[in-house]
């Protein structure tokens, strides 16, 4: 963002990162994404980058550094390949591919993060229903949340621990391979460069950002769950959740104000998510605690209307309209429960008959 102007490559990098993330989030239930073979990934991802870099090498050679006149061949190359830059088409292509590869690898990091939560939860006997990836990140959906403080602490910290482990491994690889690591958030003017080293730097630093951001004590982020588990060691679970939710919503307000006044609209969306999700989960914990120990026979309606298999749809509609708010009806045949008629099925039958 700290540039006098955006070139084609910049527009394609940031545009395709945004488009790729949004499409992945919106279409994940409709499109089955199959992984590319690794060799094809290398050819598609790194091939154009290599061609672009090679063309720039030719452009350097075509402009003698000592100020001497270019040869006829050099002059032809200068017209074909401008100094220090390749053609706009190659800049656009390589920028777009860089964005696609970067967002793909970021989702790999998010998936590994959620797998850390999943393995820890399964270790304690909590099944994982699915892992959902979205433009705002990912979430491992458990069939039941652990309420023992030690278990919740381990499950919550397992995700950031995976990112920290990945950062250590990538740092050792960079040290062994001699790859320079530049923080893309602190470098202006495109000084990070464009290629394998730049891609490695992006992934390395965003992996660290992912770990640190999730460790913020903003419930329901991982840091907020860690905070609640520590509070639950001394406090009631509902009270610990309420405190963690209040702290998380306060941090969400500060994060949202910072994003609003500094142009960070993505931070604003995350702040809204933290504020609403934290409040909803705190309410769910309160309801679950209040309902614990109450038996079904204490709350079910003993005067519910029933239908028989020979009842008409009109009779069912009349009962729904006059039945004191009852919208679903058990269907009984003598003493046997034959089925169940829901409101949706009843209205669907009415529309079909009409």
């Amino acid at each position: 963002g700290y540039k006098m102007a955006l070139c084609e490559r910049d527009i394609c990098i940031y545009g395709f990162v945004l488009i790729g993330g949004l499409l992945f989030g919106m279409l994940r239930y409709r499109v089955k994404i199959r992984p590319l073979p690794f060799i094809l990934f290398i050819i598609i991802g790194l091939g154009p980058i290599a061609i672009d870099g090679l063309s720039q090498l030719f452009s350097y050679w075509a402009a003698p550094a000592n100020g001497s006149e270019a040869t006829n061949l050099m002059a032809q190359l200068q017209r074909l390949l401008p100094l220090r830059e390749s053609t706009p088409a190659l800049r656009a292509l390589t920028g777009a591919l860089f964005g696609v590869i970067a967002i793909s690898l970021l989702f790999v990091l998010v998936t590994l993060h959620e797998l850390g939560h999943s393995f820890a939860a399964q270790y304690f006997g909590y099944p994982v229903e699915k892992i959902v990836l979205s433009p705002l990140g990912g979430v491992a959906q458990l069939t039941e949340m652990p309420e023992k403080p030690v278990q919740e602490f381990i499950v919550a910290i397992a995700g950031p621990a995976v990112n920290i482990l990945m950062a250590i491994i990538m740092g050792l690889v960079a040290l062994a391979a001699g790859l320079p690591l530049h923080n893309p958030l602190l470098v202006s003017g495109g000084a990070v460069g464009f290629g394998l080293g730049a891609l490695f730097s992006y992934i390395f630093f965003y992996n660290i950002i992912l770990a640190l951001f999730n460790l913020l004590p903003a419930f329901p982020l991982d840091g907020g769950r860690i905070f609640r588990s520590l509070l639950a060691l001394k406090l009631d679970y509902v009270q610990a959740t309420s405190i963690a939710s209040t702290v998380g919503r306060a941090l969400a307000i500060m994060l949202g104000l910072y994003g609003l006044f500094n142009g960070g609209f993505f931070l604003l969306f995350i702040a809204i998510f933290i504020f609403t999700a934290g409040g909803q989960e705190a309410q769910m914990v309160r309801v679950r605690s209040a309902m614990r120990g109450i038996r079904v026979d204490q709350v079910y309606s003993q005067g519910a209307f029933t239908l028989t298999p020979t009842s008409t749809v009109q009779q069912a509609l009349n009962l729904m309209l006059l039945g004191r708010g009852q919208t679903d009806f058990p269907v009984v045949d003598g003493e046997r429960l034959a089925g169940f008629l829901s409101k949706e099925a009843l209205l669907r039958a009415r529309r079909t008959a009409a």
Side-chain angles (χ1 to χ4, degrees), residues 125-197:
Y126 297 98
V128 179
E129 183 179 350
K130 58 185 175 181
I131 293 176
V132 178
L133 300 178
S134 71
L136 291 179
V139 58
Q141 295 185 352
L142 310 183
T143 57
E144 183 183 357
M145 296 300 296
E147 292 190 4
K148 293 182 179 180
V150 175
Q151 292 181 355
E152 183 180 31
F153 178 86
I154 295 175
V155 172
I157 205 170
V162 171
N163 294 115
I164 294 172
L165 178 62
M166 288 295 299
I168 294 173
I169 294 174
M170 293 180 71
L172 293 175
V173 170
L175 187 63
L179 291 174
L181 296 175
H182 302 285
N183 188 344
L185 298 179
L186 301 178
V187 178
S188 61
V192 173
F194 185 75
L196 184 60

Side-chain angles (χ1 to χ4, degrees), residues 75 136 186 201 215 253-254 260 272 324 327:
L136 291 179
L186 301 178
S201 291
L215 287 174
I253 292 173
M254 290 188 288
L260 180 63
I272 294 173
R324 297 175 305 210
T327 57

Side-chain angles (χ1 to χ4, degrees), residues 19-345:
I19 293 171
L22 291 176
L23 287 178
F24 190 88
M26 290 186 294
L27 303 179
R28 63 183 183 274
Y29 294 120
R30 306 175 199 169
V31 178
K32 184 177 181 180
I33 301 176
R34 297 181 179 178
L36 286 175
F38 183 71
I39 186 64
L40 186 60
F41 180 82
I42 294 295
I43 293 174
I44 294 176
L46 299 183
I49 297 176
I51 295 173
D52 188 30
L54 184 63
S55 69
Q56 293 189 42
L57 289 179
F58 277 113
S59 70
Y60 275 108
W61 176 76
N66 56 10
S68 61
E69 291 188 7
T71 64
N72 196 26
L73 176 60
M74 289 179 177
Q76 295 292 332
L77 285 173
Q78 284 179 4
R79 282 192 291 270
L80 180 63
L81 304 169
L83 178 63
R84 296 180 62 102
E85 282 291 352
S86 57
T87 61
L90 278 175
R91 291 200 299 272
L93 176 62
T94 54
L97 289 171
F98 185 90
V100 170
I101 295 173
I103 196 65
S104 300
L105 292 177
L106 287 177
F107 272 111
V108 169
L109 292 176
V110 173
T111 303
L112 292 174
H113 176 101
E114 298 304 328
L115 284 174
H117 293 307
S118 301
F119 289 142
Q122 289 178 330
Y123 176 80
F124 292 114
Y126 297 98
V128 179
E129 183 179 350
K130 58 185 175 181
I131 293 176
V132 178
L133 300 178
S134 71
L136 291 179
V139 58
Q141 295 185 352
L142 310 183
T143 57
E144 183 183 357
M145 296 300 296
E147 292 190 4
K148 293 182 179 180
V150 175
Q151 292 181 355
E152 183 180 31
F153 178 86
I154 295 175
V155 172
I157 205 170
V162 171
N163 294 115
I164 294 172
L165 178 62
M166 288 295 299
I168 294 173
I169 294 174
M170 293 180 71
L172 293 175
V173 170
L175 187 63
L179 291 174
L181 296 175
H182 302 285
N183 188 344
L185 298 179
L186 301 178
V187 178
S188 61
V192 173
F194 185 75
L196 184 60
L199 182 63
F200 195 90
S201 291
Y202 270 101
I203 301 305
F204 177 79
F205 280 99
Y206 279 112
N207 175 63
I208 295 176
I209 292 171
L210 179 63
L212 294 179
F213 182 80
N214 274 278
L215 287 174
L216 289 176
F219 189 80
L221 296 181
D222 297 335
R225 296 189 183 278
I226 293 171
F227 180 50
R228 178 176 68 175
S229 67
L230 295 176
L231 290 174
L233 291 173
K234 298 294 184 181
L235 302 175
D236 175 75
Y237 189 76
V238 176
Q239 186 180 2
T241 303
S242 179
I243 295 174
S245 176
T246 302
V247 173
R249 299 182 101 182
L251 287 175
I253 292 173
M254 290 188 288
L255 187 65
L257 291 175
Y258 177 83
L260 180 63
F261 291 109
N262 290 276
F265 295 106
F266 190 70
L267 286 178
L268 183 60
F269 292 143
I270 294 177
I272 294 173
F273 164 75
I274 293 174
F275 189 89
T276 56
Q280 290 172 356
E281 184 160 347
Q283 177 65 22
M284 183 182 66
V285 170
R286 286 192 291 269
V287 171
R288 190 167 64 237
S289 176
M291 299 296 288
R292 185 175 288 127
I294 299 178
R295 300 191 307 273
V296 173
D297 63 356
Q298 296 176 271
V299 294
Y300 83 98
S301 175
Q302 298 182 3
F305 293 101
T306 62
L307 298 171
T308 66
T310 58
S311 299
T312 65
V313 172
Q314 185 59 50
Q315 289 175 322
L317 286 171
N318 292 338
L319 287 176
M320 185 178 70
L321 294 175
L322 305 174
R324 297 175 305 210
Q326 183 177 341
T327 57
D328 303 290
F329 302 92
V331 181
V332 296
D333 187 5
E335 297 294 329
R336 184 179 64 88
L337 179 64
F340 188 80
L341 180 63
S342 65
K343 177 183 178 180
E344 291 76 15

